[in-house]
Amino acid sequence: MSTTQSERLRGLLEPLVSAQQLDLEEIEVTRAGRRGVLRIVVDSDEGVELDACAELSRSISQKLDETDAMGEGEYVLEVSSPGADRPLTEHRHYVRATGRLARFHLSGDGSGELVARILAVDEDGLDLEVPGVKGRKPTARRLAFDEIARARVEIEFNRKDKKEEEA
């Protein structure tokens, strides 16, 4: 997708997404045979309900029908939440991942990999809890944002979520 088309779509769709109290995370246009595929990824601090995606999809579809932003050809519109394997790239992604286990690929002298739970996020970096190995206690660690090359939430199948713990 050209930068111009991307910027035009973002400008067109951002107000619709914001009106639903959501963040526009990603816009991707690809080809699938003769059709185009427009993928819109949205998120919020509380997550995204299926009904919100459906409602947003209808309003985006209507807006795109009123304009020529997608050109004359046929296209498929997909509106979804980011999914569990989305990379953590923005400050808000780390905030939303607070309490979750994440895998960090470190840059610079600290190069390597680290798996730790995100305890707190501020403007400069993260406070982490590194799980203990072989019966050892967990340890605290501070990680600055500039030390992180890549990060992604780890899926935990045996951990209770916040709602279950509060019940």
Side-chain angles (χ1 to χ4, degrees):
M1 168 171 69
S2 72
T3 304
T4 306
Q5 184 183 26
S6 174
E7 290 169 356
R8 185 170 180 211
L9 284 168
R10 185 167 286 280
L12 189 67
L13 303 179
E14 194 114 48
L16 298 173
V17 174
S18 295
Q20 298 270 341
Q21 284 79 45
L22 299 171
D23 295 318
L24 180 56
E25 294 290 345
E26 186 179 329
I27 297 174
E28 180 185 25
V29 177
T30 57
R31 302 291 312 159
R34 294 183 302 197
R35 290 185 179 162
V37 178
L38 173 59
R39 286 186 184 89
I40 309 292
V41 178
V42 296
D43 202 4
S44 79
D45 291 342
E46 294 79 35
V48 181
E49 299 281 328
L50 184 59
D51 290 343
C53 284
E55 186 177 327
L56 183 59
S57 179
R58 285 189 291 275
S59 61
I60 288 173
S61 180
Q62 181 178 357
K63 180 60 99 176
L64 292 174
D65 288 348
E66 295 169 0
T67 69
D68 65 344
M70 288 301 294
E72 295 297 317
E74 294 181 20
Y75 66 93
V76 175
L77 172 63
E78 297 177 3
V79 177
S80 67
S81 62
D85 63 343
R86 173 201 47 206
L88 303 174
T89 57
E90 302 283 336
H91 185 270
R92 68 178 177 264
H93 298 164
Y94 291 99
V95 171
R96 290 174 184 158
T98 299
R100 308 276 310 267
L101 198 63
R103 181 173 304 272
F104 301 92
H105 296 272
L106 306 177
S107 59
D109 294 340
S111 64
E113 197 172 84
L114 172 68
V115 176
R117 188 164 312 282
I118 301 172
L119 299 178
V121 181
D122 60 32
E123 295 304 314
D124 300 318
L126 312 169
D127 291 326
L128 304 174
E129 179 184 75
V130 180
V133 180
K134 296 182 181 177
R136 294 189 180 135
K137 291 184 178 182
T139 57
R141 177 160 179 187
R142 176 76 181 168
L143 192 60
F145 286 119
D146 62 2
E147 296 177 81
I148 303 170
R150 293 187 324 264
R152 189 177 302 268
V153 169
E154 289 283 288
I155 306 299
E156 296 180 86
F157 293 106
N158 58 349
R159 180 171 167 82
K160 292 181 180 180
D161 67 10
K162 292 177 188 174
K163 291 177 187 170
E164 288 180 35
E165 291 174 359
E166 292 171 0

